[in-house]
Amino acid sequence: MYKNIFNPIKIGELTLKNKIIFAPTSMGDNQKKNIEKIINIAKGGVGLIILGDISVVETLQVHTSTLSENKFISYFKKITNEVKKYGCKISVQLFHPDYNVKYVKSLYVNQKKSRDEIRKLLKENIYSYTNELSLQEILNIKDAFVKAALRAEEAGFDMIQIHGDRLLGSFSSSIFNNRKDLYGGTVENRVKLSKEIVKMIKVQLPYMPIDYKLPIRKENPCIGKGGPSLKEVNTFVKVLDKAGVDSFHVTIANHSRIQDTIPMYNHPFLKGEGCFLDLSTEVKKYTNKIVCGLGKLSTPQFIEEALENNKADVVALSRQLIADENWVLKVKDGREKDILYCEFCNIKCTNALMNNKEFGCVLHR
Ligand SMILES: Cc1cc2nc3c(=O)[nH]c(=O)nc-3n(C[C@H](O)[C@H](O)[C@H](O)COP(=O)(O)O)c2cc1C
């Protein structure tokens, strides 16, 4: 039963005990509670956890742990040690912000702007930041990724996911990127920064599997602004594959409405279970590396069939595992009727996170 889900799979040299991944999921500021949740998800039987949104440079949130400095390595080491006790592998998701952190921070401090005003500022800053970064600043960014990757290895992570959204999504996108140098213009130029980062990490850490979170823009209807368009995916994937990416985590592009990247049950276009699997199916045409699919996945039968039909090689679940961290064990033990099925209402996860309220799930009363 469910042999596709439970057959082990290799990403590079890393073996996952099954094909269920906990998608990168930020859970707010309560680090103690977040770590507990991560450990429970590991106990619940998933093959891999991707620890979401870890910055390679300092961020606006002073209390958030990043991999921008050595002092946080011990914090992450505690998490990786715990997770590994359950035969679960763990990846970090490394990102670089798409705005000038120091500039926005100075506004924050000096002008005492509200949260909403800051959000607006961040969005406005994306264009100028992407297009005005000097070549020296780009070098510094690449260096920050490599240093963060080395720290990640020291902290015991089994894999590195490069977040192809945020700054890399802006560079990738013809909507944001109007650069006139070798990083702008053609598709090959827009993927150049990602390619260089992947290559540089591979030189330093040849055995570390590299996963690339690939956000894809859709036209008609237009969804997402960061990342390559569907028509550009062919080139993007081939370049990154050649640069050394071991797997692709394929989803819809961001930089517009969070309602599209984390779609609710009643989204007008991103309908039904597996709502991004058309994108992973497309990516599989251009690479033999592992491709991860996702989007409102929740039922074992549907996931088994998606894997059987080659829509993806592995799958990632975010909200379903927040709703029921024991999903994998229940499926394995034939206790499907006990699964708490996510309603994709976003109330206590996504919306709570956006409004700085306590993170949770409406099913946990
Ligand atoms: C509360 C919440 C936080 C998220 N945080 C991140 C994140 O830090 N990084 C990221 O790349 N995606 C993040 N996502 C997006 C998920 O990884 C995933 O792509 C999306 O939720 C769709 O999967 P699902 O339908 O299984 O929830 C988050 C999603 C949720 C619900």
Side-chain angles (χ1 to χ4, degrees), residues 311-326:
K311 293 185 175 170
D313 302 303
V314 289
V315 292
L317 286 59
S318 169
R319 287 168 291 177
Q320 179 52 59
L321 290 171
I322 295 168
D324 192 340
E325 53 211 22
N326 291 313

Side-chain angles (χ1 to χ4, degrees), residues 23-26 53 93 163 213 262 294 296 318-319 350 359:
T25 305
S26 307
D53 260 2
Q93 178 186 56
H163 199 338
K213 176 161 176 172
I262 312 178
L294 64 151
K296 286 197 250 184
S318 169
R319 287 168 291 177
T350 316
F359 182 86

Side-chain angles (χ1 to χ4, degrees), residues 138-146 183 193 196-197 200:
I138 291 178
L139 260 181
N140 295 345
I141 287 166
K142 289 190 276 186
D143 190 50
F145 266 100
V146 174
Y183 291 95
L193 179 56
E196 289 174 343
I197 289 167
M200 285 169 77

Side-chain angles (χ1 to χ4, degrees), residues 22-28 50-54 93 95 161 163 165-166 213 249-252 254 258 260-263 275-276 294-298 316-322 342 344 346 348-351 353 359-360:
F22 180 47
T25 305
S26 307
M27 299 186 220
I50 302 175
L51 204 62
D53 260 2
I54 307 299
Q93 178 186 56
F95 82 96
Q161 182 185 79
H163 199 338
D165 217 314
R166 314 292 276 268
K213 176 161 176 172
H249 184 104
V250 185
T251 182
I252 198 93
N254 201 340
I258 196 153
D260 294 335
T261 49
I262 312 178
C275 60
F276 305 144
L294 64 151
K296 286 197 250 184
L297 291 172
S298 73
L317 286 59
S318 169
R319 287 168 291 177
Q320 179 52 59
L321 290 171
I322 295 168
C342 175
F344 300 105
N346 280 359
K348 284 200 77 184
C349 57
T350 316
N351 299 351
L353 196 70
F359 182 86

Side-chain angles (χ1 to χ4, degrees), residues 2 6 326-336 338:
Y2 301 132
F6 288 104
N326 291 313
W327 188 96
V328 174
L329 287 183
K330 287 178 184 174
V331 176
K332 204 171 176 188
D333 298 346
R335 292 187 289 126
E336 277 173 56
D338 295 339

